[in-house]
Amino acid sequence: MNELSQFPLRRMRRLRAHDFSRRLVAENQLTVDDLIYPMFVLEGSGRVEEVSSMPGVFRYSIDELVKEVKECEALGIPLIDLFPYVEADKKSLHAEEAYNPDGLIQRAIRAIKAECKTIGVMTDVALDPFTTHGQDGIIDDNGYVLNDITIEVLVRQALSHLEAGADIISPSDMMDGRILAMREAFEKAGFVNAQIMAYSAKYASCFYGPFRDAIGSSSNIKGGNKKTYQMDPANGAEALHEVGLDLQEGADMVMIKPGMPYLDLIRQTKDTFHVPTFAYQVSGEYAMQMAAIQNGWLEEKATIMESLLCFKRAGADGILTYFSKRVAKWLAEE
């Protein structure tokens, strides 16, 4: 600090006194280019179902999903992220439906790409929507998720998404070595420009509950947990190790999940690796804000915008948020 810049020579409130000067010196800004919209798709036609634990978030049949994506494209949202709601009869121990070329996600990708020419499509790669037990991988007789066998299925799932037209693959499974396996498979198959946004530091968090409702896996996991593969919330240095490994294995972008409780990891990741770094404002974060907003305890727009701006301040290049569409509308109005 400059010792000469003391009160009253330096009055910190001077630059806060007017709207124009606050705007001039703002260190970070939120734009539509920072938004990634997570979206849920289900079977059928003409179906739009609200997720009970996530007010204002819906599951869409493919025809309705395409309409929604078109609106997002018109608003300038650069990227959507697709998640499936899988019916019980399509779930299995070995998640075969995950790589079905005519599966729900694969058909949704093709439908979106046929109608929407500029918006990017990212897909979640993990097995929890497709397993009868709700875990992100193939389990042994003791319920332990088997790493290497799971990777084989994940690679098949990822390739099926690329073949359908996906732009970005986003592995959220937290298996060791899956980024390298996918990158090598993509190169071999000719998908040399396929992008990978790795869930590099995904924590075993209690903030995921509403999401499991949204994809229909909460009843499958039946009170179980994912602590043998997702990260311990107590650990920070381990997250940087995970990020470094994913980058070495071929990830183009990395993600920290959840978001707001882990702002310190976003900043540390950005400062350490200087790579595209993203945050996921997860379902529990969304649900908490919506509960307070609907009860009149917090102001809607101001609260949401502040919550997203803090990710930018922490170093995130973009945010996966269920608020994407309404924020894009607010930004367009400004």
Side-chain angles (χ1 to χ4, degrees):
M1 295 292 290
N2 187 340
E3 294 182 359
L4 297 178
S5 299
Q6 297 179 359
F7 179 86
L9 301 180
R10 171 69 69 183
R11 290 180 181 267
M12 295 299 293
R13 291 181 58 194
R14 285 193 194 114
L15 295 176
R16 303 172 194 155
H18 305 284
D19 177 70
F20 75 82
S21 55
R22 291 193 297 271
R23 288 161 51 205
L24 281 171
V25 302
E27 297 175 24
N28 296 282
Q29 292 184 332
L30 181 72
T31 75
V32 70
D33 296 332
D34 299 314
L35 303 174
I36 302 172
Y37 194 16
M39 305 182 74
F40 301 102
V41 60
L42 78 172
E43 293 285 2
S45 63
R47 296 179 67 186
V48 178
E49 298 180 356
E50 188 170 29
V51 179
S52 60
S53 54
M54 299 175 69
V57 172
F58 300 89
R59 306 182 193 98
Y60 301 93
S61 56
I62 292 175
D63 55 331
E64 298 294 335
L65 179 74
V66 171
K67 295 176 187 177
E68 189 74 4
V69 175
K70 283 183 177 179
E71 290 186 31
C72 294
E73 186 174 42
L75 287 166
I77 294 172
L79 183 66
I80 62 164
D81 191 9
L82 293 180
F83 298 90
Y85 178 86
V86 180
E87 301 292 345
D89 62 351
K90 296 291 181 67
K91 297 175 186 281
S92 64
L93 281 173
H94 296 97
E96 288 90 350
E97 186 64 18
Y99 50 85
N100 178 358
D102 293 315
L104 179 60
I105 285 292
Q106 291 82 352
R107 285 182 280 120
I109 297 167
R110 290 194 290 268
I112 292 167
K113 284 299 182 180
E115 299 289 337
C116 305
K117 304 304 181 184
T118 62
I119 197 167
V121 176
M122 181 163 74
T123 59
D124 180 68
V125 169
L127 304 185
D128 50 326
F130 304 95
T131 57
T132 51
H133 44 73
Q135 295 290 350
D136 291 38
I138 309 303
I139 60 173
D140 64 14
D141 292 340
N142 298 314
Y144 183 79
V145 174
L146 300 167
N147 193 91
D148 297 6
I149 295 173
T150 295
I151 288 176
E152 295 177 11
V153 182
L154 294 171
V155 169
R156 295 182 69 176
Q157 181 185 20
L159 286 170
S160 75
H161 291 181
L162 293 177
E163 289 162 358
D167 300 293
I168 303 177
I169 298 300
S170 192
S172 65
D173 55 284
M174 288 299 288
M175 297 298 111
D176 292 334
R178 88 276 204 214
I179 302 300
L180 179 60
M182 288 180 193
R183 180 57 71 199
E184 290 178 342
F186 297 172
E187 291 287 320
K188 184 177 180 180
F191 295 111
V192 298
N193 286 325
Q195 299 176 32
I196 297 177
M197 182 186 291
Y199 285 62
S200 296
K202 181 178 180 180
Y203 283 83
S205 171
C206 62
F207 286 93
Y208 303 149
F211 174 87
R212 291 172 185 161
D213 292 339
I215 65 168
S217 70
S218 57
S219 60
N220 298 107
I221 199 166
K222 297 177 182 177
N225 64 67
K226 303 185 178 185
K227 294 181 180 180
T228 67
Y229 48 100
Q230 294 177 356
M231 286 189 54
D232 185 342
N235 296 353
E238 182 184 7
L240 298 182
H241 194 172
E242 289 277 13
V243 170
L245 287 171
D246 283 354
L247 291 170
Q248 289 176 354
E249 293 178 13
D252 303 288
M253 301 164 278
V254 297
M255 188 199 302
I256 309 300
K257 181 182 180 182
M260 195 173 291
Y262 297 85
L263 292 177
D264 59 323
L265 269 303
I266 298 170
R267 170 50 60 193
Q268 290 178 48
T269 296
K270 192 65 176 180
D271 289 347
T272 302
F273 297 102
H274 308 286
V275 297
T277 302
F278 292 81
Y280 198 146
Q281 187 182 52
V282 299
S283 60
E285 298 174 68
Y286 174 90
M288 287 192 301
Q289 289 188 61
M290 286 302 298
I293 289 166
Q294 291 184 333
N295 276 287
W297 300 333
L298 292 174
E299 181 183 345
E300 181 184 15
K301 181 178 178 180
T303 299
I304 293 169
M305 297 298 277
E306 180 181 339
S307 75
L308 297 180
L309 187 61
C310 77
F311 290 112
K312 297 293 292 181
R313 190 194 66 242
D317 295 286
I319 310 110
L320 287 83
T321 174
Y322 301 98
F323 292 120
S324 289
K325 188 178 177 183
R326 76 181 74 185
V327 169
K329 289 180 177 179
W330 290 336
L331 292 170
E333 292 168 359
E334 295 174 358

